[in-house]
Amino acid sequence: MDIRTVGIVGAGQMGNGIAHVFALAGFDVLMNDISEDALNKAVALIDGNLERQVSRDKISAEAKAAAMGRIRTTTKLHELGPSDLIIEAATERETIKQAIFEDLLPHIQPHTILTSNTSSISITRLASRTDRPEKFMGFHFMNPVPVMQLVELIRGIATDEPTYRALLAVVEKLGKTAASAEDFPAFIVNRILMPMINEAVYTLYEGVGSVKSIDESLKLGANHPMGPLELADFIGLDTCLAIMNVLHDGLADTKYRPCPLLTKYVEAGWLGRKTQRGFYDYRGETPVPTR
Ligand code: CAA
């Protein structure tokens, strides 16, 4: 099937990046959020990120203008109804995601493919609550979406082949690379990445190293572009903790237990860059380690 119009639920970190890459690839995008303010901020952010690509000669000014012209916003979820493809990129909480799909169902087309950008929640379970588990998939982008090449495609137990093929074609049109993952907790990237981040927090918790020495070790000793604690702040410590809990609950193995120090940071509301404090304090000119 030919996918031309895309509805995106959520204008946060992931939603705005997804809108950016779809608009640039020629899709008509309608982005939804409950907050008008979040939508305005997302559009301004997309504009700034596209401008960065123009200034680095990655795209032309015309391509930027055309992409901006393809993005519309709405606070009314039902207006996403006519879309060929819907990507849910709301908060990583199952009840919220379920409620969004429930509200969408009466308004969508028979051919509409439903997807979730969840980083860890069961696709099969989300799909089973809709009227079309065969047209439901996990569509997992990495942050920052305009820069990261990979997209994980996750089939639920009922997902049919035409739906999978349609999404493969979409990923190709985006100029990205798809990795197929089976529907088990946290799929591939986060199954491997999050225990590494959690272990970095244990390394800090047990006093093996400081924030600075842990991050420097992985950057200079393993050629990672960011240290694990810096990356955790970038992803959001609440998201990291939520994913560890999904791994711990879903696989029932103590090797996935979240580090108590990670829980403490989240309890303090120190969630990383988005709240200006996490393993680093971002309120000054340069980030300062908080431990
Ligand atoms: N939009 C568009 N372009 C962007 C951008 C954005 N939001 N952010 C960065 N860029 C571009 C920059 O313009 C720059 O382009 P050029 O190469 O043309 O110069 C390039 O990306 C690199 O950016 P910077 O020079 O500003 O910074 P950097 O070299 O330090 O790289 C980074 C930044 C790409 C984020 C790099 O540090 C990195 O790769 N970090 C690891 C990111 C990562 O692991 N992401 C996955 C997280 S896990 C996940 O997302 C899954 C989940 O479910 C939690």
Side-chain angles (χ1 to χ4, degrees):
M1 75 162 287
D2 196 16
I3 292 173
R4 291 166 191 271
T5 55
V6 181
I8 299 169
V9 186
Q13 191 161 260
M14 298 308 289
N16 82 65
I18 295 170
H20 173 139
V21 295
F22 272 85
L24 202 52
F27 294 91
D28 288 323
V29 172
L30 182 57
M31 185 168 43
N32 159 264
D33 199 285
I34 44 173
S35 149
E36 185 83 50
D37 190 41
L39 287 169
N40 293 338
K41 280 191 182 136
V43 170
L45 212 61
I46 295 169
D47 191 76
N49 284 332
L50 284 167
E51 191 52 44
R52 174 154 52 168
Q53 288 175 300
V54 173
S55 68
R56 304 208 189 192
D57 285 332
K58 297 261 170 177
I59 61 169
S60 66
E62 293 73 34
K64 179 199 162 187
M68 287 306 292
R70 287 188 202 103
I71 300 175
R72 291 179 302 125
T73 62
T74 177
T75 52
K76 299 187 186 81
L77 186 65
H78 67 86
E79 289 186 359
L80 267 51
S83 310
D84 299 323
L85 167 67
I86 292 180
I87 306 169
E88 172 279 313
T91 308
E92 190 69 352
R93 246 183 268 141
E94 193 161 341
T95 47
I96 292 177
K97 292 182 187 293
Q98 272 171 2
I100 288 168
F101 287 119
E102 246 162 57
D103 290 350
L104 273 170
L105 286 183
H107 307 287
I108 59 180
Q109 310 304 304
H111 72 271
T112 302
I113 294 178
L114 292 178
T115 66
S116 173
N117 180 57
T118 177
S119 45
S120 57
I121 297 168
S122 164
I123 297 305
T124 301
R125 206 163 56 230
L126 285 174
S128 73
R129 308 278 298 245
T130 72
D131 62 352
R132 59 193 70 203
E134 70 289 348
K135 284 194 172 62
F136 194 107
M137 277 194 61
F139 201 11
H140 185 215
F141 290 81
M142 309 296 137
N143 188 23
V145 181
V147 182
M148 305 301 279
Q149 186 59 29
L150 188 82
V151 184
E152 279 182 302
L153 291 182
I154 305 106
R155 275 173 282 194
I157 203 164
T159 308
D160 65 18
E161 193 62 20
T163 301
Y164 174 64
R165 293 201 171 280
L167 285 200
L168 267 183
V170 168
V171 174
E172 202 169 300
K173 198 168 164 194
L174 294 176
K176 295 199 181 282
T177 304
S180 294
E182 291 299 322
D183 183 24
F184 290 102
F187 321 128
I188 297 174
V189 172
N190 284 325
R191 169 78 176 259
I192 298 168
L193 185 63
M194 285 305 153
M196 184 200 72
I197 286 176
N198 195 47
E199 199 58 31
V201 186
Y202 267 112
T203 309
L204 178 67
Y205 175 65
E206 291 169 10
V208 181
S210 64
V211 168
K212 186 167 179 278
S213 62
I214 292 166
D215 275 351
E216 263 183 10
S217 296
L218 271 290
K219 274 197 286 195
L220 305 180
N223 266 6
H224 289 194
M226 283 178 170
L229 300 172
E230 188 188 0
L231 181 58
D233 277 356
F234 180 67
I235 293 167
L237 304 191
D238 50 342
T239 302
C240 294
L241 180 60
I243 298 171
M244 283 314 295
N245 280 324
V246 166
L247 282 167
H248 194 224
D249 297 343
L251 298 167
D253 189 328
T254 55
K255 76 176 174 181
Y256 298 113
R257 67 203 188 286
C259 179
L261 185 60
L262 180 60
T263 306
K264 192 187 288 201
Y265 269 85
V266 173
E267 282 171 352
W270 293 14
L271 307 180
R273 283 205 198 189
K274 62 184 164 190
T275 58
Q276 297 212 301
R277 242 186 310 185
F279 292 110
Y280 294 85
D281 187 332
Y282 299 92
R283 291 172 299 173
E285 282 274 288
T286 47
V288 179
T290 52
R291 283 179 94 81

